[in-house]
Amino acid sequence: MSNTHSIFLKEMGITEWSSRDGSAEVLTPTQASVLVKQSAPVEVQITEHVPQGNWWFFGAQPQGDAQILFQNLIRTLGLTPQEWNWKSATDNLSQLTSPDNGRPLVALAFGGPVAQKITGERDVLAQLRETVLALNTGNDEEIPVIATFDLAQIISKPRDKALLWQDLLLAKSVLQNS
């Protein structure tokens, strides 16, 4: 990244830049202080990422464009590989337990059939969305589940991305309030 690009990003308050190839450039305190001296006075605060919770994603492993969409969701949510896991709806749900790291947990079900299978609900996706459901583990532990569209459906119907985003915001809210 050129020095000019870095200056513009700093002025916009962006301290970390992720390119489309997945690599991230983070300015070191030395680079940030040099940029601040070269441009107008802008206070730059570099903070370390603090995990907010754990995410479980249920559904078919995304392929092709759906995989790119999923990677962009992970990047947008700011999740590190230690903060999320891909789970299968065919897994033995009674064997699933919350991680022992003390952070809250939320599950996101991609697709109506997946949401129905892991929650035991019978309603269609349109009725399951925008509702906090519970993972049907068969034990006393309640793990919140948010039902959303299958990623392949989002690829074929891009207008539904806004609804996916609403579901992600609901999941993030559940996580923050846990």
Side-chain angles (χ1 to χ4, degrees), residues 13-159:
I14 299 172
T15 59
E16 181 175 353
W17 177 258
S18 295
S19 65
R20 290 190 185 264
D21 65 3
S23 63
E25 292 187 32
V26 181
L27 296 178
T28 64
T30 306
Q31 290 171 321
S33 64
V34 168
L35 289 176
V36 170
K37 289 176 187 173
Q38 292 176 349
S39 63
V42 177
E43 185 176 322
V44 177
Q45 187 175 34
I46 299 176
T47 59
E48 205 173 301
H49 176 74
V50 177
Q52 300 298 314
N54 296 300
W55 292 71
W56 285 352
F57 297 101
F58 284 88
Q61 284 276 354
Q63 303 293 321
D65 289 340
Q67 183 178 12
I68 294 169
L69 175 60
F70 180 72
Q71 290 168 346
N72 288 336
L73 292 177
I74 295 297
R75 193 175 331 157
T76 301
L77 291 169
L79 301 178
T80 63
Q82 296 79 25
E83 294 176 274
W84 66 273
N85 291 89
W86 196 268
K87 304 285 185 185
S88 174
T90 59
D91 289 347
N92 184 352
L93 299 178
S94 64
Q95 300 295 319
L96 297 177
T97 57
S98 296
D100 293 333
N101 56 19
R103 295 190 304 249
L105 171 67
V106 68
L108 201 69
F110 290 112
V114 172
Q116 291 168 342
K117 180 158 178 59
I118 68 172
T119 63
E121 298 286 336
R122 299 207 187 294
D123 295 332
V124 296
L125 180 62
Q127 294 171 334
L128 296 176
R129 282 190 62 254
E130 299 180 2
T131 305
V132 180
L133 307 166
L135 190 65
N136 187 14
T137 60
N139 55 33
D140 292 338
E141 185 176 27
E142 287 195 15
I143 298 172
V145 176
I146 306 300
T148 192
F149 298 98
D150 183 63
L151 294 175
Q153 180 181 347
I154 298 295
I155 296 299
S156 65
K157 296 180 182 177
R159 59 179 155 62

